[in-house]
Amino acid sequence: MGHALEVHSLTSAEQPRRIASGALGRVLHLASDPVGTRAATISHDGAIRLVDVESGRSRTSARRPRGGQAPSSFSPDGRYLLWSQPTGLEGDLHQLRIADLSGDGAPVALTSGKYHDHSPVFSADGKFIVFLSDRTFDPSYDTHEFGLSFSGSTRPWLIPLSAREPAPFGPSADGWRISKPEESRPEGEPVPVTCPDLDAEGAEERIVPFGVPSGDYRGLRAAKGGMLWVRKAKETGELGSRRAGVLGDPATDTLEHWSFAERRVTTVADKVDSYAVSGDGERVVLRHKDTVTVQAADKKPPEDDDAAVVTVDLARLRFDVDPAAEWRQMFEENARLMRDHFWRADMDGVDWDAVTERWRPVVESLRTHEDLIDLLWEVGAELNTSHAYASPPTPPGDQDRRLGLLGADLARAEDGWRIERILPGESSDPDARSPLRAAGVDARPGDVVVAVDGVPVDEAFGPGPLLVGAADKPVELTLRRDGEDRRVVVVPLASEETLRYQDWVRSRREYVREHSGGRLGYVHVPDMVASGWAQLHRDLRHAARAEGLVVDVRYNRGGHTSQLVLSRLVAKVIGWDRGRHYASPVPYPSQAPRGPVVLVANEDAGSDGDIITAAVQETGLGPVVGTRTWGGVVGIDGRFSLVDGTEVTQPRYAFTFNGKGWGVENHGVDPDIEVVHSPADFFAAEDKQLDRAIAEAFAALSRRPAAEAPGLPEPKVRPPRQ
């Protein structure tokens, strides 16, 4: 089974026609030629198919061996079909390919695939292929570690189809106009565009960059007389913490237009999330958040001309939803997604049709969306594979009523609720601010919270009920100390998770320092995404100075950066850099551990947390102390969601190890030294797992001491003997 195409008439009351049913696979992208006689589809299996709209017949034109995600596009005359094809291991590299549909339709490569060439389209006149490519290599030095990284590497580029066609900018034998040509609209039918014959040989050598700086671009489209693209704002990194505490709206993506006649770029819209171009290329439909507007494609509308922008009235949109019918469709769609994208075509031996059939009657018993989510989890569990998730489109409850939290432990007292402990903040992590430690508050353990916004605190329930809906909003607290009341303003947290996490990391860091006599460093890696990468670098450059290193991946939530983390841990000090005015020599590499590395893991370290644990064992980096890890290494990409926004995942990418084979999934990684940390041990003063890690590090140091800088050599020139 697969998708079908529906053909709808825009000018008559004809019933929709369904064509190519079951012959297309799961269609990820669809393009129609300009005259509407053919459609091109790219399916989940990488097949590129051409469909005749009249007859409904389809044929496979090409196949992308690494799956299909990027869309295809037709030339203005329908002669050529253009797409980008993955060549890298994980879709990070692409080459441009083109098929001449007037001939045998055999695909021809336009670029080598050495770079990430993507989003190809034809110019409106059919003379040029325009695409985005990450061909800029202009690295920047990292702030927090000695490293160089590449960002802002994308730029729009152009290839003339004919080898004799000059680029529409740059040198020209006839020169270029210095004034904009007058527009003339021919009477009658417009002259059809005819694309020149393709000179594929040497195409990549003919590419020319547009005269705009490299940056971050997306959404390349052709417009009349030029090209359109979206310039990404990229004001923040992956976590968004660069704007922490900044008032006002963040910078937005902008829509830019390149004019071939004027050979320059202009910003035509300051705010854009997505857009589409009209058929004649003269106007664009823009969407930003919940606003849809229509304007000219080649210039920014004058601020004093209201008629230049048409705002689409979305308030007139109305629809009815039958939850039961919607849930039936969502159940079936989830089953099809899993069938088409599970990492093994044989579903690892599970009869998926039988599973779907067995659970289908339960759909009729659903009464709430929560019931549906539970059902999707149960169905996914039949595969006995990790990462088969279903998540509702919005968090439960009214988010405007979130409880504000003070970042402190409180206890009931005679005259209110006493502050027992205030969690210390971590200034490098905006989510780990401590409200009661903020400037001007001066709260201390022993202070009593007697009122919130002037309302006395209930002696039984405490300040909690008065802080409902106060998350991230200023609140007045009345604090009592030594019989004296004072009013202060605090901004409660929506969640204390990060604050308490940073406090736990601080306590583990101090524990290792105290129990090792300062000889060992400590880092914790909470996950293998941007937040875990940031946390690693908060501590690594300090911890690596010690004689040995304890790396804690307990409770690691996984992600995809384990290979980056591993590269930092496997480095070894092989030399030293000494300067006359340096207090101490600098190791080389500068952040490499000086001595042994011991990894601590537990049953809550999973996914990429499993992988980093296995990688430490595979590389022989050091012993793993703790308990067997979670055991889930069939990964996901979060590509699909259901009709109401419910996110569903399909385990797509299985992981195997040289020494462990496929055995980590559904088992985990066994530690080299098992130390069980029971729930009863969680709040104990001793950390048995860290104790054993410290002991293992000391044992390794006794066998091989940490690297030490040698003393100065004798002077090359010695004074003559007297």
Side-chain angles (χ1 to χ4, degrees):
M1 294 293 291
H3 286 174
L5 300 185
E6 278 194 356
V7 183
H8 292 253
S9 173
L10 300 180
T11 59
S12 68
E14 294 180 14
Q15 291 296 314
R17 246 181 343 112
R18 184 168 294 185
I19 60 176
S21 180
L24 304 178
R26 174 168 294 277
V27 177
L28 302 181
H29 297 287
L30 174 67
S32 172
D33 71 2
V35 296
T37 60
R38 289 175 298 187
T41 66
I42 296 182
S43 303
H44 71 284
D45 58 358
I48 301 175
R49 296 180 175 90
L50 286 172
V51 182
D52 184 278
V53 174
E54 182 63 31
S55 67
R57 291 192 296 269
S58 66
R59 65 180 178 88
T60 300
S61 176
R63 188 171 295 275
R64 296 156 51 104
R66 299 187 184 277
Q69 291 192 42
S72 59
S73 60
F74 283 94
S75 60
D77 60 355
R79 175 179 175 180
Y80 298 106
L81 182 66
L82 177 67
W83 67 92
S84 65
Q85 184 150 308
T87 58
L89 297 178
E90 295 186 0
D92 53 342
L93 303 176
H94 286 74
Q95 71 173 174
L96 303 186
R97 296 180 73 84
I98 190 171
D100 187 346
L101 305 181
S102 66
D104 60 6
V108 176
L110 296 177
T111 60
S112 64
K114 183 180 178 181
Y115 307 104
H116 181 36
D117 301 331
H118 58 102
S119 308
V121 294
F122 288 88
S123 59
D125 59 11
K127 296 179 179 179
F128 309 104
I129 292 170
V130 183
F131 61 103
L132 300 177
S133 182
D134 301 347
R135 291 173 179 251
T136 301
F137 290 83
D138 187 7
S140 301
Y141 277 99
D142 195 281
T143 303
H144 294 299
E145 68 164 350
F146 182 67
L148 287 164
S149 61
F150 299 97
S151 61
S153 300
T154 308
R155 198 174 188 182
W157 298 72
L158 174 147
I159 304 176
L161 270 74
S162 170
R164 295 192 175 186
E165 180 71 38
F169 36 79
S172 170
D174 298 326
W176 300 107
R177 291 183 62 98
I178 61 175
S179 62
K180 187 176 181 179
E182 294 184 4
E183 291 190 14
S184 60
R185 295 183 178 273
E187 297 181 0
E189 294 293 327
V191 178
V193 173
T194 301
C195 292
D197 292 338
L198 171 67
D199 293 321
E201 184 177 353
E204 190 161 15
E205 299 174 51
R206 298 199 302 272
I207 70 171
V208 182
F210 281 74
V212 296
S214 296
D216 293 288
Y217 299 93
R218 63 178 177 86
L220 182 66
R221 304 280 189 277
K224 184 177 181 180
M227 303 300 300
L228 290 160
W229 54 68
V230 175
R231 178 189 287 272
K232 298 181 184 179
K234 293 299 287 185
E235 190 179 41
T236 65
E238 295 298 319
L239 301 178
S241 56
R242 295 179 195 170
R243 281 189 54 85
V246 179
L247 300 178
D249 295 330
T252 57
D253 293 354
T254 56
L255 183 65
E256 296 183 340
H257 176 268
W258 176 274
S259 169
F260 287 137
E262 300 179 23
R263 298 179 301 286
R264 67 185 180 93
V265 66
T266 57
T267 299
V268 298
D270 293 324
K271 298 179 180 180
V272 60
D273 295 329
S274 59
Y275 78 101
V277 185
S278 63
D280 59 7
E282 296 185 2
R283 305 189 72 79
V284 290
V285 180
L286 306 173
R287 178 169 183 170
H288 176 63
K289 295 183 178 179
D290 294 329
T291 301
V292 176
T293 56
V294 182
Q295 66 168 70
D298 61 348
K299 58 181 177 293
K300 181 183 290 188
E303 294 184 2
D304 57 353
D305 186 359
D306 294 338
V309 178
V310 176
T311 300
V312 180
D313 182 10
L314 300 180
R316 296 180 296 125
L317 289 173
R318 298 190 302 273
F319 64 92
D320 295 322
V321 174
D322 178 353
E326 186 175 68
W327 296 340
R328 282 192 291 269
Q329 190 278 334
M330 292 169 67
F331 174 85
E332 300 295 343
E333 182 72 1
N334 178 68
R336 289 190 290 265
L337 284 168
M338 192 69 79
R339 177 200 65 196
D340 292 343
H341 295 279
F342 189 70
W343 75 279
R344 292 180 59 131
D346 63 1
M347 306 301 285
D348 213 7
V350 175
D351 187 340
W352 188 243
D353 289 338
V355 167
T356 304
E357 184 67 25
R358 185 168 67 253
W359 283 100
R360 185 174 287 115
V362 180
V363 179
E364 304 305 320
S365 302
L366 302 180
R367 293 297 178 265
T368 67
H369 193 275
E370 288 76 11
D371 291 344
L372 173 66
I373 296 296
D374 288 344
L375 174 59
L376 297 181
W377 275 90
E378 292 292 339
V379 174
E382 296 275 0
L383 291 166
N384 304 302
T385 305
S386 61
H387 295 89
Y389 303 147
S391 306
T394 57
D398 184 353
Q399 298 303 298
D400 291 333
R401 298 279 294 167
R402 291 194 70 172
L403 179 66
L405 302 169
L406 299 177
D409 298 331
L410 306 180
R412 186 175 176 180
E414 291 184 0
D415 53 348
W417 280 68
R418 183 176 58 251
I419 299 174
E420 296 287 302
R421 178 172 178 265
I422 300 175
L423 297 170
E426 169 52 59
S427 60
S428 70
D429 189 342
D431 292 331
R433 63 180 179 85
S434 183
L436 297 181
R437 295 283 194 187
V441 178
D442 189 31
R444 302 177 188 175
D447 290 354
V448 177
V449 182
V450 297
V452 177
D453 287 333
V455 180
V457 170
D458 187 279
E459 63 178 12
F461 297 103
L466 301 177
L467 293 171
V468 172
D472 296 321
K473 300 174 184 176
V475 169
E476 181 188 276
L477 298 182
T478 302
L479 302 179
R480 180 170 297 163
R481 183 187 304 163
D482 299 330
E484 180 181 345
D485 290 354
R486 55 189 296 264
R487 296 181 299 116
V488 299
V489 175
V490 301
V491 180
L493 298 163
S495 169
E496 290 180 344
E497 179 184 358
T498 305
L499 179 63
R500 291 189 179 275
Y501 164 74
Q502 291 291 356
D503 181 53
W504 180 82
V505 171
R506 177 196 55 78
S507 71
R508 298 306 87 192
R509 186 191 310 121
E510 293 177 354
Y511 187 96
V512 170
R513 181 170 60 246
E514 177 184 345
H515 287 73
S516 70
R519 296 178 62 191
L520 301 179
Y522 171 87
V523 295
H524 183 263
V525 188
D527 53 54
M528 295 298 175
V529 291
S531 51
W533 189 242
Q535 183 62 32
L536 173 69
H537 285 84
R538 283 189 178 95
D539 291 325
L540 181 60
R541 51 188 166 182
H542 306 290
R545 298 173 186 172
E547 295 179 51
L549 184 61
V550 175
V551 179
D552 194 346
V553 296
R554 292 177 294 182
Y555 313 104
N556 186 287
R557 297 175 175 178
H560 59 274
T561 61
S562 61
Q563 56 186 303
L564 297 178
V565 174
L566 183 66
S567 69
R568 300 310 189 267
L569 301 180
V570 297
K572 296 296 182 183
V573 174
I574 60 173
W576 297 85
D577 185 12
R578 182 185 288 273
R580 177 177 177 181
H581 299 292
Y582 282 20
S584 59
V586 177
Y588 177 87
S590 60
Q591 292 188 16
R594 290 175 50 209
V597 175
V598 180
L599 193 84
V600 186
N602 68 359
E603 64 276 10
D604 292 312
S607 191
D608 217 17
D610 289 305
I611 293 173
I612 188 65
T613 307
V616 166
Q617 292 181 334
E618 294 279 335
T619 58
L621 177 61
V624 174
V625 174
T627 54
R628 178 159 55 96
T629 59
W630 181 57
V633 292
V634 182
I636 53 179
D637 55 18
R639 184 190 303 180
F640 298 108
S641 59
L642 302 180
V643 65
D644 71 344
T646 294
E647 295 181 359
V648 291
T649 61
Q650 304 79 42
R652 293 168 58 96
Y653 311 104
F655 207 96
T656 182
F657 300 88
N658 291 341
K660 302 180 186 300
W662 302 96
V664 174
E665 176 69 17
N666 282 341
H667 178 81
V669 179
D670 292 302
D672 299 303
I673 303 165
E674 184 178 41
V675 179
V676 176
H677 193 84
S678 70
D681 296 324
F682 191 82
F683 293 104
E686 298 80 16
D687 189 323
K688 298 177 181 178
Q689 292 172 335
L690 286 185
D691 288 341
R692 185 57 185 270
I694 293 169
E696 290 299 316
F698 281 163
L701 285 170
S702 68
R703 296 188 296 269
R704 182 175 182 178
E708 295 285 353
L712 288 174
E714 292 293 327
K716 292 182 178 179
V717 179
R718 300 184 182 183
R721 294 182 180 180
Q722 299 296 328

